[in-house]
Amino acid sequence: MELSLVIPTYNEKENIQQLIKKIQEEFTKNKIKGEIIVVDDNSPDGTGKILEKIKKKQKNLKVIHRSEKLGLSSAVLEGWKIAKGRFLGVMDADLSHPPEKIHEMYSIIKNGDADIVIGSRYAQGGKIKGWSLKRKLMSKVATLLARIYTNVKDPMTGFFMLKKEVIEKVNLNSKGFKILLEILVKGKYRAIKEIPITFVNRTHGKSKAGIKEIFFYLQNLLGYLPYKKKVVREFIKFGIVGISGTIINLATLYLLTERLGIYYLISAVFSFLVAMTSNFVLNKIWTFKESMKLKIGEKYLKFSIISLCALGVNLFFLYLFTEFLKIYYLISQVLAIGIAFLVNFVGNKIWTFNE
Ligand code: GDD
Ligand code: MN
């Protein structure tokens, strides 16, 4: 057995039969020694019963029945546990992922050209069809946040393949939807390839992604920090630079106002600029270890924009906490500075210093 393809299902009775048929055709046409493992969470619509029926005629089709809806990622992991193949894969049951791409992806991984192959909506040539603007936007923001950890263009896709070794002895947390990102953070791999795909929104049934998924996602993002020592280091350094900037700001303000006799509000604007510039230089060469010359103008502009945004975020939360939550304004400011700091770090990490 070469390829074990897992399909998680929850209420997919209109889709699953057609998908399995297409995958089997791909396997036969391209002489892929593959198996299909469907993991069904006791779907109320009877997906499980349909599977039991078609299983009888297909030797390479396995079905795992779980007692209740236990989540997408955990279903995938459960399926991989009984996988016989050297290569593991996953795709959605709702025909959103093109089975025609299986062969191309499989060839790459089989030839050893990559340890992980990704069916990518955001690689050049990739597309999404049928999603609302809101869903597109949410996906974009989530993908952008993931850049803290990876440069993969579509770390949220539910269509990918990998060598078994990538996740061997790796402890994967199975909460939520985003199993690939978790593998990218914790797995053992060298080369990754992204193959453009067109994601077509389902025509039958409903998406199972909900508000809960957003919460799991943010929780997971924080939880990944210890796995990426580099990010932790950058985070701490960024904080130290921030403190140095505050001291420089105060010192400049004092000098300009007291020694040069400049009106204190004008001094404050200059102090802000001096401190921001010093922060920029230190973060560029020390925190993010870039050469000073690399795109210095463009990056200074980006850094300034994010600094201003962070200032906006600071003022917004200061106002919100003080006026609406009736928190004492100095305490509000401590909380607001914390949030602004996070925005500042994440913004600069994924936008300004992302190369
Ligand atoms: N067994 C099981 N248990 N399967 C589940 C569960 C569950 O709790 N929740 C969802 N699934 C199955 C669905 O039946 C479907 O086959 C697949 O997982 C994807 O679920 P959808 O509900 O269709 O997700 P989506 O289309 O909103 O999200 C897709 O795109 C995301 C990228 O934006 C998925 O591919 C996600 O993995 C992906 O992150
Ligand atoms: Mn779907």
Side-chain angles (χ1 to χ4, degrees), residues 12 92-94 96 131 135 199-202 206-208:
E12 302 289 359
D92 290 351
D94 56 359
S96 285
W131 265 8
R135 177 90 206 239
F199 178 102
V200 186
N201 195 20
R202 56 166 75 237
K206 277 206 289 272
S207 164
K208 282 93 202 174

Side-chain angles (χ1 to χ4, degrees), residues 25-39:
E25 281 166 13
E26 279 299 302
F27 281 176
T28 319
K29 191 170 98 197
N30 301 298
K31 302 201 176 63
I32 298 171
K33 290 192 208 105
E35 63 177 350
I36 302 171
I37 303 170
V38 184
V39 184

Side-chain angles (χ1 to χ4, degrees), residues 149 170-171 182 185-186 223-230 232:
Y149 296 111
V170 175
N171 181 22
E182 175 122 3
V185 170
K186 300 181 180 175
Y224 295 156
L225 264 179
Y227 291 88
K228 290 278 176 181
K229 295 279 179 324
K230 182 168 154 250
V232 178

Side-chain angles (χ1 to χ4, degrees), residues 208-308:
K208 282 93 202 174
I211 298 289
K212 215 173 59 197
E213 256 42 78
I214 301 178
F215 179 72
F216 280 147
Y217 180 59
L218 293 176
Q219 194 185 347
N220 282 342
L221 275 187
L222 267 179
Y224 295 156
L225 264 179
Y227 291 88
K228 290 278 176 181
K229 295 279 179 324
K230 182 168 154 250
V231 180
V232 178
R233 239 182 349 255
E234 288 168 349
F235 188 75
I236 294 171
K237 285 181 166 181
F238 198 84
I240 296 173
V241 171
I243 293 170
S244 82
T246 310
I247 296 170
I248 290 172
N249 189 322
L250 290 172
T252 317
L253 181 65
Y254 175 81
L255 284 178
L256 293 179
T257 312
E258 300 293 324
R259 297 290 159 90
L260 300 182
I262 297 173
Y263 180 56
Y264 78 102
L265 284 183
I266 298 185
S267 303
V269 174
F270 274 104
S271 318
F272 178 81
L273 291 175
V274 171
M276 192 180 77
T277 307
S278 143
N279 283 357
F280 171 71
V281 172
L282 289 175
N283 279 323
K284 191 166 183 11
I285 56 182
W286 186 55
T287 310
F288 295 104
K289 297 200 180 309
E290 282 185 4
S291 97
M292 196 56 211
K293 278 194 229 131
L294 181 72
K295 296 189 183 162
I296 185 159
E298 181 192 319
K299 295 200 175 207
Y300 186 65
L301 184 68
K302 286 180 173 176
F303 191 84
S304 312
I305 291 171
I306 290 175
S307 296
L308 286 176

Side-chain angles (χ1 to χ4, degrees), residues 11-250:
N11 287 349
E12 302 289 359
K13 70 165 187 232
E14 295 104 331
N15 301 312
I16 189 66
Q17 245 173 311
Q18 200 190 342
L19 178 69
I20 290 176
K21 185 166 163 264
K22 283 192 176 177
I23 295 175
Q24 296 287 28
E25 281 166 13
E26 279 299 302
F27 281 176
T28 319
K29 191 170 98 197
N30 301 298
K31 302 201 176 63
I32 298 171
K33 290 192 208 105
E35 63 177 350
I36 302 171
I37 303 170
V38 184
V39 184
D40 184 64
D41 280 359
N42 201 1
S43 300
D45 76 348
T47 303
K49 284 188 207 91
I50 298 176
L51 285 164
E52 279 308 311
K53 220 184 283 163
I54 56 178
K55 193 177 85 172
K56 287 183 189 130
K57 284 172 248 150
Q58 304 183 36
K59 275 212 308 283
N60 63 343
L61 173 61
K62 294 179 192 160
V63 184
I64 297 177
H65 298 277
R66 302 199 299 177
S67 59
E68 56 180 320
K69 190 170 186 299
L70 296 170
L72 172 51
S73 295
S74 77
V76 175
L77 295 175
E78 194 96 25
W80 283 345
K81 261 192 220 154
I82 65 156
K84 290 271 185 316
R86 290 196 289 148
F87 309 110
L88 309 175
V90 58
M91 73 193 292
D92 290 351
D94 56 359
L95 303 162
S96 285
H97 297 140
E100 312 83 67
K101 287 278 173 175
I102 290 175
H103 181 228
E104 187 182 347
M105 289 167 68
Y106 174 67
S107 305
I108 290 171
I109 204 138
K110 192 177 172 218
N111 294 339
D113 295 336
D115 305 311
I116 304 179
V117 182
I118 292 169
S120 174
R121 301 161 297 169
Y122 298 127
Q124 203 176 23
K127 277 195 202 78
I128 296 176
K129 281 190 183 155
W131 265 8
S132 68
L133 192 67
K134 185 177 149 216
R135 177 90 206 239
K136 273 188 186 157
L137 217 71
M138 276 171 50
S139 172
K140 271 277 178 215
V141 172
T143 304
L144 216 64
L145 282 177
R147 294 231 308 242
I148 303 171
Y149 296 111
T150 175
N151 280 327
V152 164
K153 294 202 175 69
D154 193 358
M156 309 292 170
T157 185
F159 187 23
F160 58 94
M161 292 176 195
L162 45 87
K163 289 187 183 145
K164 214 174 208 164
E165 297 89 85
V166 174
I167 58 162
E168 238 159 24
K169 300 201 187 84
V170 175
N171 181 22
L172 294 170
N173 169 348
S174 50
K175 259 191 187 167
F177 252 51
K178 311 300 183 189
I179 185 77
L180 176 59
L181 180 61
E182 175 122 3
I183 292 170
L184 291 172
V185 170
K186 300 181 180 175
K188 294 169 281 187
Y189 56 87
R190 279 195 212 101
I192 299 179
K193 276 237 162 86
E194 289 191 67
I195 302 299
I197 61 156
T198 300
F199 178 102
V200 186
N201 195 20
R202 56 166 75 237
T203 42
H204 299 289
K206 277 206 289 272
S207 164
K208 282 93 202 174
I211 298 289
K212 215 173 59 197
E213 256 42 78
I214 301 178
F215 179 72
F216 280 147
Y217 180 59
L218 293 176
Q219 194 185 347
N220 282 342
L221 275 187
L222 267 179
Y224 295 156
L225 264 179
Y227 291 88
K228 290 278 176 181
K229 295 279 179 324
K230 182 168 154 250
V231 180
V232 178
R233 239 182 349 255
E234 288 168 349
F235 188 75
I236 294 171
K237 285 181 166 181
F238 198 84
I240 296 173
V241 171
I243 293 170
S244 82
T246 310
I247 296 170
I248 290 172
N249 189 322
L250 290 172

